Amino acid sequence: MHILLLGSGGREHALAWKIAASPLVTKLWCTPGNAGIAREAECVALDVANHAAVIEFCQRNAVDLVVVGPETPLAAGIVDDLARAGIKAFGPGRQAAQLEGSKGFTKDLCSEFGIPTGAYRRFSKAADALAYVRVQGAPIVVKADGLAAGKGVVVAQTLAEAEDAIAMMFEGAFGAAGAEVVIEEFLSGREVSFFALCDGETAIALASAQDHKRVFDHDRGPNTGGMGAYSPTPFVTEEIHDQIMERIILPTVAGMKSRGMPFRGVLYAGVMLTEQGPKLFEYNVRFGDPECQVLMLRMMSDIVPAFLAACDGQLKNFDLRWYPESALTVVMAAKGYPGDYKKGSRIDGLDAAAGIEGVEIFHAGTVSKDGQILANGGRVLNVCALGKSITEAQRHAYEAVDRVQWSDGFCRRDIGWQAVEKEKAGS
Ligand code: AMP
Ligand code: GLY
């Protein structure tokens, strides 16, 4: 099979690594890719926003399947355009991608199909939004409706913060994404992520995985795309797993089907475990990054038949197998991230780090120049490790991190801490 993968992050390196391991695959391309992906796939420069160019590449190279990593091409309808050209693509179409592309769309779906979530209202005028938060009071959550690169959510602890967030969004801080604002009830509880593979009708839960969004140790500092992740997570017990499937994931898949926009691809739910049970606070329509990295390390099954079954509506009798080991990934980022950072600094020691048993290094923002690996983004490396427990995986991952020589980089030193504490308490 010929496969084309779209994306350039750590998530796509992990996907490329897993796809390349499939005996079904004879050729893998990735656009644009990165220095690590180049070891698994032939990296090609395509303008992914130009769907005709992607279609032309697929036709010229007899591509059998396109796998879409990030949300932007999904929201732009690349899967629909490829399908119209007779090319199979893994991921939701434009309408189904609204689950991530419009917070208001998802909230309305929840209210129509009885999916537990926080109370909310949608606003297209600042004055109405301000009047509403003044009645509701704080804490309260202000969200730009559209895609805002993970920055469009303000959890306001005070009324003044909520008012500032509303003003900022309606003044255009997120462009068109903030033309509409959703104001949502603040949900308190433990936050967990839940991933399911969907074919429009059937959903299969993936192994559990949890990321750390804050930039600094002890979950402090601003939100990022994710500074590390681990799998499995001890906080999604069997009972909670079943509740999330029955109350959130399955009604979503059924609701999307009944609306004539079946969801195919990976559904990633952000769920708060509240005193009243699990409540959905957001959907993404793709794998999480860096959660994907730990999921790929633990996935025993060949991923390619799983992608094909999701595209073809054949997940009903499908089964995914996982290794029992735990996996953990530490993100190494450029100093300054998630704010401004420099590009171009040199990274050494990667082979020594990858030499530790059970360690796999997935690249995110890297380029290769004259045989050297250089930093080329905010999140730059994912140092991943397997272990018999999260504690052991964490130890292996940090042993590997300590072999990486990169003076312009930093990482959190406590990835997995909640799970490690729980393992300590249970032993
Ligand atoms: P997002 O950018 O959509 O991933 O949201 C960023 C973070 O905001 C999430 O990881 C949650 O911690 C938090 N969040 C979003 N919605 C709520 C809510 N209704 N109540 C409390 N926290 C929330
Ligand atoms: N790790 C969070 C995300 O992928 O959105």
Side-chain angles (χ1 to χ4, degrees):
M1 271 186 80
H2 288 183
I3 298 187
L4 171 66
L5 172 66
L6 308 186
S8 63
R11 167 180 54 208
E12 287 77 24
H13 189 183
L15 288 172
W17 175 81
K18 188 68 188 158
I19 292 169
S22 168
L24 298 171
V25 177
T26 49
K27 178 75 190 176
L28 175 62
W29 292 270
C30 182
T31 183
N34 63 38
I37 294 175
R39 292 202 301 258
E40 310 289 350
E42 182 181 337
C43 294
V44 287
L46 289 174
D47 175 7
V48 172
N50 179 352
H51 296 180
V54 177
I55 290 168
E56 195 273 328
F57 178 89
C58 292
Q59 288 169 337
R60 189 157 35 88
N61 293 287
V63 168
D64 302 291
L65 174 69
V66 177
V67 177
V68 186
E71 63 277 17
T72 307
L74 296 169
I78 196 158
V79 170
D80 312 81
D81 288 338
L82 286 164
R84 255 177 243 122
I87 301 158
K88 198 171 280 191
F90 176 76
R94 190 177 54 79
Q95 285 192 310
Q98 289 179 90
L99 283 174
E100 177 165 359
S102 166
K103 308 246 187 238
F105 173 90
T106 296
K107 299 296 289 188
D108 289 351
L109 185 94
C110 289
S111 65
E112 185 179 344
F113 295 98
I115 297 161
T117 186
Y120 75 105
R121 287 270 304 274
R122 303 175 72 166
F123 297 96
S124 52
K125 287 201 185 77
D128 298 341
L130 288 169
Y132 180 73
V133 295
R134 284 172 192 147
V135 173
Q136 297 294 314
I140 196 154
V141 185
V142 181
K143 301 184 171 184
D145 182 72
L147 292 179
K151 301 192 179 87
V153 174
V154 175
V155 179
Q157 296 300 337
T158 63
L159 185 57
E161 276 173 49
E163 290 173 344
D164 288 350
I166 291 167
M168 165 188 80
M169 288 182 197
F170 282 111
E171 277 160 18
F174 303 115
E180 187 180 324
V181 164
V182 172
I183 301 195
E184 191 179 304
E185 173 193 356
F186 173 81
L187 300 172
S188 71
R190 183 183 289 281
E191 188 176 328
V192 300
S193 301
F194 195 94
F195 297 88
L197 185 65
C198 307
D199 70 355
E201 199 161 340
T202 301
I204 301 183
L206 303 185
S208 62
Q210 189 58 48
D211 71 342
H212 291 264
K213 290 207 170 64
R214 302 301 190 100
V215 69
F216 299 128
D217 284 11
H218 312 298
D219 295 316
R220 296 213 176 99
N223 263 330
T224 69
M227 294 300 291
Y230 56 95
S231 172
T233 144
F235 304 107
V236 178
T237 59
E238 210 168 300
E239 186 190 1
I240 290 172
H241 175 283
D242 292 348
Q243 288 172 350
I244 294 175
M245 275 307 273
E246 278 156 32
R247 299 179 196 171
I248 298 178
I249 303 292
L250 296 176
T252 299
V253 172
M256 293 298 283
K257 187 182 170 213
S258 76
R259 282 189 173 191
M261 38 184 97
F263 186 89
R264 298 191 188 91
V266 172
L267 190 56
Y268 161 178
V271 176
M272 202 69 84
L273 304 180
T274 73
E275 280 174 3
Q276 298 93 44
K279 291 192 180 178
L280 178 78
F281 64 81
E282 69 167 352
Y283 269 134
N284 296 303
V285 297
R286 49 170 176 84
F287 281 106
D289 183 347
E291 295 94 320
C292 183
Q293 288 79 314
V294 287
L295 290 175
M296 291 307 107
L297 274 186
R298 292 194 58 223
M299 190 184 281
M300 188 191 291
S301 307
D302 185 344
I303 199 166
V304 174
F307 285 155
L308 293 173
C311 292
D312 295 342
Q314 296 293 333
L315 281 180
K316 201 178 235 152
N317 296 312
F318 207 84
D319 180 31
L320 276 176
R321 306 223 162 181
W322 303 90
Y323 292 114
E325 282 84 3
S326 299
L328 184 138
T329 181
V330 177
V331 169
M332 298 186 76
K335 282 180 187 162
Y337 174 80
D340 293 339
Y341 52 82
K342 281 193 305 208
K343 288 184 180 178
S345 54
R346 179 175 155 167
I347 303 168
D348 289 299
L350 291 175
D351 289 340
I356 296 174
E357 205 190 315
V359 167
E360 201 62 54
I361 297 183
F362 294 127
H363 291 216
T366 64
V367 282
S368 166
K369 200 169 170 211
D370 306 325
Q372 279 298 322
I373 300 292
L374 307 179
N376 192 43
R379 291 190 293 172
V380 172
L381 295 168
N382 296 265
V383 179
C384 311
L386 286 165
K388 286 199 278 294
S389 59
I390 301 284
T391 309
E392 193 179 287
Q394 186 196 53
R395 195 172 62 243
H396 291 162
Y398 281 111
E399 266 173 47
V401 163
D402 290 337
R403 291 191 184 182
V404 176
Q405 292 149 26
W406 178 30
S407 54
D408 271 351
F410 78 101
C411 66
R412 280 181 58 161
R413 298 295 311 189
D414 65 344
I415 298 302
W417 67 268
Q418 297 100 325
V420 168
E421 268 182 11
K422 194 155 167 102
E423 283 177 354
K424 253 193 217 128
S427 64

